[in-house]
C-alpha cells in the first residue's frame, strides 16, 4: 500500500510537470569561484537537458554574507527568484514561517527523501511543522586543514600531520618567505577557522556544550581559553595574506606561497581546477589531524512561492533532479563536498573526499553552527572574530566577549 501510494504520487508529479509550459527559472547562489562554477554548472546542465525548462543563472559574488541579504530582500520585496541557495540550518526559517517558500512535501514523500538523505538531520533542517521546504544537496564540513607540499619543501621542513606540528613549523615557513597561514578577509572565514580550532583543541564535548547547549560557563572556561590562545598565536602568522576572498587564499596554498589554510572541503574544487593531486601536491587533515570529525554543514535550495502553476511545476522538477543519483555524483565530485545520498557510486572520489566519506560512515559527525545558532548569534560571533583576527585584541578579552554572546544566544 505504501509503495503504491508513492508510485501514484510520483506519477502525478510527473504528469503535472509534463503538462506545464516551459519556464525560465532564475536560480540565485553565491558559487562564483572556479571550482564552485564548475559544480553549479552540473545543476544547470541537468535542468536544461532533462526538462523542458531553462536555468537562468543568478550568481552573486562575495560569498553568503553578501548574497543572503540580497536574496532575502528580493523575496520580502515581492521579487522572488525561482530557487535560491541557503546553508543547512536556520537561515530561511523566518521566510518559511512567513509563508513565502514552496512546500515540497509531496515530492519528498513520493521520492522517499527521508529514506535516502543521510544524515537525516539535513532533511530535518528543511522541515518545519512536519512539512518539507528545501532540498539538501551536499554535506560540506569546515573541519579541514589544507597544506602545500611545495611550501614545506621550500622551507625545508616535513609536511605536518597535525595542528601542533603545523604551528611549530610556522616560523620556518615565514623565514622562507611564505605566509604560514592563509586567511582571507571576509568575516565568515575567521569565524569558521575559530570553530575548527575549537573542535580540534577544546574537544567535541566542550564545543557541543557551547554551540548546542549555549553553556556560557564552558565558553568562559579553560578549554576555550586554550583555543583563544592558539588563535592569537596563529593570527600573527596570517597577517601578510593580503587577500579578501577564500579562494584567493586557497590559490596561495596551491602555488606554494602559503603553507596552509583552514577552510571547508569546498576548497577541493579549487585544487581540482588547478589539477593538483591529493597526497602529492597537497595534504588534507580533517579535524586538523587532532579530532577527525565531519560537521554536517552544506547547502540546500529553497523555492520561493510565485503564485504560478507552471513555475511551481518547474521548481519541483529542479528539486527532484538535485537529489537524483546522477546529479548528486556529478555535482559533488566537482564541488568537493559529500553527497547527501549514501547510495551513490563515488569510486572517482579523490583521497580527501574518501577520507571524508570514511569519517561520515563511522558516525563521527557533528552539526554545523548554522544548524545550532541563530543568524543573529552567528553575526555577532563573526563581528567579534573579524576584530580579533585583524587586531591585537587580548585573547582573554575576546573570550569574555564570546562568552557573553553565548549567554544571550538563541
Amino acid at each position: 500500500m505504501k509503495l503504491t501510494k508513492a508510485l501514484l504520487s510520483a506519477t502525478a508529479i510527473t504528469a503535472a510537470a509534463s503538462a506545464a509550459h516551459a519556464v525560465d527559472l532564475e536560480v540565485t547562489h553565491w558559487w562564483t569561484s572556479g571550482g564552485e562554477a564548475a559544480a553549479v554548472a552540473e545543476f544547470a546542465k541537468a535542468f536544461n537537458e532533462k526538462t523542458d525548462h531553462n536555468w537562468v543563472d543568478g550568481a552573486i559574488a562575495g560569498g553568503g554574507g553578501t548574497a543572503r541579504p540580497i536574496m532575502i530582500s528580493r523575496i520580502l520585496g515581492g521579487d522572488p527568484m525561482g530557487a535560491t541557495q541557503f546553508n543547512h540550518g536556520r537561515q530561511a526559517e523566518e521566510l518559511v514561517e512567513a509563508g513565502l517558500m514552496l512546500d515540497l512535501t509531496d515530492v519528498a514523500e513520493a521520492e522517499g527523501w527521508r529514506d535516502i538523505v543521510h544524515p537525516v538531520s539535513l532533511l530535518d533542517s528543511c522541515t518545519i511543522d512536519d512539512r518539507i521546504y528545501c532540498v539538501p544537496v551536499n554535506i560540506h564540513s569546515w573541519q579541514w586543514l589544507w597544506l602545500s607540499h611545495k611550501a614545506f619543501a621550500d622551507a625545508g621542513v616535513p609536511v605536518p600531520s597535525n595542528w601542533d606540528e603545523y604551528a611549530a613549523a610556522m616560523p620556518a615557513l615565514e623565514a622562507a618567505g611564505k605566509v604560514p597561514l592563509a586567511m582571507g578577509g571576509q568575516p565568515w572565514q575567521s569565524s569558521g577557522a575559530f570553530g575548527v580550532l575549537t573542535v580540534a583543541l577544546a574537544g567535541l564535548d566542550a564545543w557541543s556544550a557551547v554551540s548546542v547547549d549555549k553553556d556560557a560557563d564552558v565558553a568562559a572556561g579553560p578549554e576555550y581559553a586554550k583555543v583563544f590562545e592558539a588563535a592569537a598565536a596563529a593570527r600573527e602568522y596570517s597577517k601578510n595574506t593580503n587577500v579578501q576572498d577564500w579562494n584567493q587564499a586557497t590559490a596561495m596554498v596551491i602555488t606554494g606561497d602559503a603553507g596552509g589554510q583552514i577552510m571547508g572541503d569546498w576548497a577541493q574544487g579549487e585544487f581540482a581546477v588547478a589539477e593538483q593531486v591529493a597526497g602529492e601536491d597537497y595534504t588534507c587533515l580533517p579535524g586538523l589531524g587532532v579530532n577527525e570529525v565531519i560537521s554536517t554543514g552544506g547547502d540546500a535550495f529553497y523555492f520561493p512561492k510565485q503564485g504560478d502553476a507552471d513555475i511551481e511545476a518547474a521548481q519541483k522538477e529542479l528539486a527532484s533532479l538535485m537529489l537524483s543519483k546522477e546529479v548528486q555524483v556529478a555535482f559533488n565530485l566537482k564541488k568537493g563536498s559529500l553527497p547527501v545520498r549514501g547510495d551513490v557510486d563515488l569510486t572517482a572520489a579523490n583521497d580527501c573526499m574518501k577520507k571524508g566519506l570514511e569519517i561520515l560512515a563511522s558516525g563521527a559527525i557533528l552539526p554545523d553552527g548554522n544548524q545550532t545558532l541563530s543568524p543573529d548569534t552567528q553575526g555577532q560571533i563573526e563581528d567579534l572574530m573579524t576584530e580579533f583576527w585583524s587586531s591585537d585584541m587580548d585573547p582573554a578579552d575576546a573570550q569574555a566577549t564570546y562568552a557573553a554572546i553565548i549567554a544571550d544566544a538563541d
Side-chain angles (χ1 to χ4, degrees), residues 82-237:
T84 189
Q85 171 194 9
F86 285 104
N87 294 124
H88 297 319
R90 301 172 59 183
Q91 292 174 352
E93 192 173 70
E94 293 182 359
L95 296 173
V96 172
E97 291 172 347
L100 297 174
M101 293 299 187
L102 183 66
D103 187 337
L104 302 174
T105 307
D106 56 348
V107 183
E109 290 182 346
E111 298 179 356
W113 287 6
R114 184 153 289 277
D115 296 324
I116 61 177
V117 173
H118 175 72
V120 75
S121 60
L122 299 179
L123 194 61
D124 292 339
S125 292
C126 292
T127 305
I128 295 178
D129 295 331
D130 297 323
R131 309 301 294 177
I132 296 171
Y133 292 93
C134 68
V135 52
V137 297
N138 62 7
I139 301 169
H140 263 318
S141 175
W142 249 108
Q143 309 299 316
W144 294 88
L145 173 62
W146 308 91
L147 300 171
S148 166
H149 285 198
K150 181 181 186 304
F152 284 93
D154 289 348
V157 292
V159 177
S161 62
N162 58 52
W163 174 260
D164 288 341
E165 293 177 2
Y166 178 39
M170 287 183 182
L173 288 165
E174 187 172 57
K178 311 295 181 180
V179 173
L181 174 65
M183 177 75 72
Q186 295 160 321
W188 64 270
Q189 295 183 56
S190 52
S191 178
F194 179 82
V196 176
L197 283 166
T198 300
V199 172
L201 304 181
L204 299 178
D205 290 343
W207 179 90
S208 180
V210 171
S211 297
V212 178
D213 300 330
K214 320 298 191 297
D215 191 326
D217 290 336
V218 175
E223 296 94 340
Y224 269 66
K226 181 167 61 175
V227 180
F228 275 96
E229 291 290 346
R235 73 183 172 186
E236 297 303 312
Y237 291 105

Side-chain angles (χ1 to χ4, degrees), residues 244-264:
Q244 185 74 5
D245 295 335
W246 70 269
N247 54 302
Q248 293 174 312
T250 305
M252 295 175 67
V253 179
I254 290 171
T255 60
D257 292 325
Q261 179 189 25
I262 299 173
M263 186 50 60

Side-chain angles (χ1 to χ4, degrees), residues 174 179-183 232 234-243 388-392:
E174 187 172 57
V179 173
L181 174 65
M183 177 75 72
R235 73 183 172 186
E236 297 303 312
Y237 291 105
S238 66
K239 286 183 175 178
N240 294 324
T241 304
N242 296 325
V243 299
F388 176 74
W389 281 90
S390 62
S391 70
D392 59 356

Side-chain angles (χ1 to χ4, degrees), residues 30-47:
W30 55 80
W31 289 327
T32 58
S33 75
E36 291 173 327
V40 77
E42 294 294 338
F43 281 151
K45 176 183 176 183
F47 189 62

